[in-house]
Amino acid sequence: MKYLLVTGASSGIGLATAERFLQAKFEVINLSRRPCPIDQVHSYPADLSNHELQSVIELVITEHFNADNDKEIHLVHNAAQFSLDNALDTSDESLRAILQVNVIAANTLNRLIIPQMGKNSSVIFIGSTLSEKAVSNTFSYVTSKHAQLGMMKSLCQDLTNPDVHVAAICPGFTDTAMLRTNAPDEILVQLGARTAFGRLVSPEEIAEAIFWVGQNPVVNGSVIHANLGQKEW
């Protein structure tokens, strides 16, 4: 059986990814606070900031993976928390909360799901242009996205299962609810103009990139830039 296990498939890139893998006849499992609106998706209520995440993952394993001895699993770390904050005055508690969702939860999933993976499986991190650079007043998000790249590269080196590959996709400015919540319309126009195509990336384009990476182990350890040729500021 072929599976997609994705976090945050209730909207945006996660939702588009669920749709793309369903088209390819995958069993799709979503972990998020809100359910995926697609009926065929198995949604499990999960708060990535909650330390009870492990029990939810163990339930997924029991209900989907334990009875299947030939499992192709693609684990996509998509969900993320964003905060407008500054490196000079962010509290430890606030930074810890972002790291819990964007980094620690991914580690929990990796530890429990990778042992379940069979041939042609993958672990895919959804990063950001801010995984490799920084802009002001995005301290916690930038820190966590840089940490994700370090996690991906370390995982690539430490994996002992030759049937599992790992990569990171770093989207450019993508037309998602999270972006629209944090940027007014005039800023969205400016962001779109900062690409060679003069528009925002669509969630469906990132979903297609995720699907391609999952099928191509040659990209093991790679960082894929999916930003329409984003221009430097």
Side-chain angles (χ1 to χ4, degrees):
M1 180 76 76
K2 297 182 178 182
Y3 300 91
L4 167 70
L5 175 55
V6 57
T7 60
S10 55
S11 64
I13 291 171
L15 175 58
T17 301
E19 291 175 329
R20 179 63 184 89
F21 277 77
L22 282 173
Q23 291 170 9
K25 309 303 182 184
F26 279 71
E27 193 86 359
V28 176
I29 303 163
N30 166 51
L31 301 180
S32 63
R33 288 178 295 179
R34 294 180 290 118
C36 178
I38 303 173
D39 290 339
Q40 300 98 303
V41 172
H42 303 280
S43 284
Y44 287 78
D47 185 345
L48 301 187
S49 67
N50 194 310
H51 295 290
E52 295 179 358
L53 174 63
Q54 179 166 332
S55 63
V56 178
I57 301 170
E58 290 171 346
L59 179 61
V60 169
I61 292 171
T62 299
E63 294 189 348
H64 295 275
F65 300 152
N66 279 349
D68 190 346
N69 295 321
D70 185 22
K71 301 179 289 290
E72 175 184 330
I73 302 173
H74 299 278
L75 171 58
V76 178
H77 298 299
N78 167 69
Q81 187 170 328
F82 178 84
S83 177
L84 293 171
D85 56 13
N86 189 283
L88 299 178
D89 58 16
T90 297
S91 69
D92 292 346
E93 291 76 14
S94 178
L95 175 59
R96 188 176 294 112
I98 297 289
L99 292 175
Q100 173 62 42
V101 173
N102 297 0
V103 180
I104 305 302
N107 182 64
T108 304
L109 278 157
N110 289 342
R111 187 177 67 252
L112 297 173
I113 297 300
I114 289 174
Q116 304 293 324
M117 291 180 167
K119 292 183 65 174
N120 304 315
S121 295
S122 71
V123 181
I124 303 173
F125 294 81
I126 306 305
S128 165
T129 54
L130 297 182
S131 295
E132 298 179 306
K133 61 188 291 185
V135 296
S136 60
N137 299 315
T138 56
F139 166 64
S140 295
Y141 186 76
V142 166
T143 299
S144 68
K145 287 300 178 180
H146 277 64
Q148 280 188 349
L149 283 197
M151 180 181 287
M152 183 277 290
K153 293 176 181 179
S154 295
L155 181 58
C156 177
Q157 297 301 311
D158 290 342
L159 275 172
T160 57
N161 185 346
D163 294 323
V164 180
H165 66 280
V166 56
I169 297 174
C170 292
F173 296 110
T174 305
D175 193 358
T176 64
M178 185 172 77
L179 180 63
R180 289 187 173 275
T181 298
N182 291 283
D185 289 344
E186 60 270 20
I187 297 298
L188 293 176
V189 172
Q190 294 175 26
L191 295 177
R194 298 300 304 178
T195 74
F197 281 65
R199 62 172 176 83
L200 297 173
V201 180
S202 74
E204 290 75 20
E205 288 173 311
I206 302 303
E208 192 63 43
I210 292 168
F211 186 81
W212 182 85
V213 167
Q215 308 306 305
N216 288 274
V218 71
V219 298
N220 191 29
S222 297
V223 179
I224 310 296
H225 301 108
N227 57 32
L228 292 175
Q230 186 168 304
K231 301 175 183 179
E232 293 298 320
W233 291 91

